[in-house]
Amino acid sequence: MKRPIQVVALTDVLRDAWEGYLLRCREATVFHRLAWCDAVESAYGHRPLHRLAMRDGEVVGVLPMMLVRSRLVGRVIVSVPYATYGGILAEDADAADALLAEAKQLCTEHDVNYLELRQKDATHFDLPTNDRYDTFRCELPADPAEILPAIPKKGRAACRKGLARCEVVFGREHLDAIYDLYAYTMRRLGSPNYSKRLFLALAERFGEDCVCELVLLHGKPVAGVMSFVFRDELTAYFSGSLPAATAVCASNAMYLTLQQTCVERGLGVFDFNRTRRDNPGPHAFKRHMGFTPEPLHYK
């Protein structure tokens, strides 16, 4: 008979146990790391409400949550803010159900408008689902030279054009330029951009697992992306580009080179991040780069 589940709040004493559980859990993502939530708290002041499921003193599940106060949606609890993935990680249904029950109780205590669980994988929860997003992931080959031939013909030609016209560079010293490109792109699309404080906080906490890539055209930045590594995966996350980048296929060269760098670093999975299905341009771009969309299971 399984022992009962106890749900407890995260404390400093339990931080190592949390991170250790992520290393054991196949479904864990970079956004479940405490480094991500710590950076969000530092940049925005959102209150952490993280919970662990324990059985016989061992961690059998985690749920990172933050209380977010927004002028747009009011007071909400999100797992995880400013992230692609999040939600409940658990070894079995009992642990998952216990964490969900705790999350619902916290919603009542804090009088929130809703709870958002950014689940990457399907769950047994009987909850409404937001099915607007697809994610794009692929396993990487052992040899970086195998990446370009695997890209469909149209994308392959664009990659070659981008490599011929542009210079690709890596390094944390490019963070400011990447942020400027990201902020410009978000404004051009009519969307709010995240604070630079978040960029700086994430870069500080992730260290070498924060990868900054910049594309130069005639020595000037035209495209850039900030990515994060967890275990053997890299997630390409914050990105931006100038209109001039399109004509020279700068983004194609950027993501090809990033995948090649992943292989050289010994990583096995490239995560191209989520895209809304009703956003045809980015959705098509990722497909033309050889990625297959997979539905997300936000609750």
Side-chain angles (χ1 to χ4, degrees):
M1 177 182 295
K2 289 183 179 179
R3 302 285 290 178
I5 299 292
Q6 180 186 15
V7 176
V8 299
L10 176 69
T11 63
D12 288 343
V13 173
L14 290 171
R15 289 178 68 92
D16 287 346
W18 178 293
E19 294 292 338
Y21 178 77
L22 296 187
L23 293 176
R24 301 192 306 271
C25 179
R26 182 181 61 82
E27 294 82 11
T29 74
V30 67
F31 305 107
H32 287 89
R33 289 205 58 201
L34 294 175
W36 188 274
C37 292
D38 290 348
V40 169
E41 182 182 5
S42 173
Y44 288 101
H46 299 321
R47 179 179 172 185
L49 298 171
H50 313 317
R51 294 296 188 268
L52 303 90
M54 312 287 292
R55 181 186 286 124
D56 291 334
E58 296 292 329
V59 179
V60 292
V62 298
L63 174 54
M65 293 180 288
M66 304 196 81
L67 178 62
V68 176
R69 295 176 175 85
S70 165
R71 286 178 293 178
L72 295 176
V73 297
R75 187 195 304 257
V76 299
I77 292 178
V78 184
S79 179
V80 176
Y82 315 109
T84 301
Y85 312 128
I88 292 172
L89 299 175
E91 290 188 3
D92 53 43
D94 290 344
D97 290 341
L99 287 167
L100 179 59
E102 177 74 3
K104 290 179 177 179
Q105 179 61 35
L106 287 169
C107 288
T108 300
E109 291 178 11
H110 293 282
D111 190 26
V112 302
N113 293 332
Y114 62 82
L115 166 70
E116 182 173 343
L117 302 176
R118 297 182 178 178
Q119 303 285 155
K120 178 169 68 73
D121 302 306
T123 68
H124 67 279
F125 304 136
D126 185 19
L127 297 172
T129 299
N130 174 355
D131 61 356
R132 293 179 296 177
Y133 294 97
D134 287 329
T135 190
F136 296 78
R137 293 162 51 85
C138 77
E139 293 188 3
L140 294 167
D143 184 348
E146 297 178 20
I147 295 174
L148 181 60
I151 296 175
K153 183 177 180 180
K154 181 177 180 180
R156 195 162 62 242
C159 289
R160 290 194 177 105
K161 180 178 180 180
L163 291 174
R165 297 289 302 276
C166 302
E167 178 187 3
V168 180
V169 294
F170 288 86
R172 288 274 294 277
E173 66 271 20
H174 305 303
L175 189 150
D176 289 342
I178 294 170
Y179 180 80
D180 291 343
L181 289 164
Y182 156 76
Y184 168 82
T185 300
M186 297 303 288
R187 290 195 299 269
R188 182 164 54 87
L189 296 173
S191 300
N193 56 273
Y194 297 153
S195 165
K196 191 172 183 178
R197 295 191 305 273
L198 180 61
F199 268 58
L200 296 174
L202 288 167
E204 177 185 356
R205 285 161 175 79
F206 278 89
E208 292 184 357
D209 288 335
C210 172
V211 180
C212 296
E213 181 185 15
L214 193 66
V215 182
L216 306 174
L217 179 63
H218 306 308
K220 297 182 179 180
V222 292
V225 60
M226 184 178 185
S227 307
F228 301 93
V229 175
F230 173 62
R231 295 189 303 205
D232 71 335
E233 299 187 12
L234 178 139
T235 300
Y237 199 63
F238 299 108
S239 63
S241 62
L242 299 181
T246 302
V248 295
C249 302
S251 293
N252 298 83
M254 180 170 71
Y255 289 114
L256 169 66
T257 306
L258 186 56
Q259 290 180 72
Q260 293 171 335
T261 299
C262 287
V263 175
E264 292 167 357
R265 185 168 170 164
L267 304 180
V269 177
F270 186 89
D271 190 319
F272 217 160
N273 210 349
R274 74 180 186 187
T275 298
R276 287 177 61 131
R277 294 188 194 127
D278 60 0
N279 194 357
H283 206 276
F285 175 82
K286 294 178 181 181
R287 296 197 311 273
H288 291 156
M289 287 293 290
F291 288 75
T292 301
E294 302 173 12
L296 287 173
H297 302 273
Y298 290 0
K299 304 293 185 184

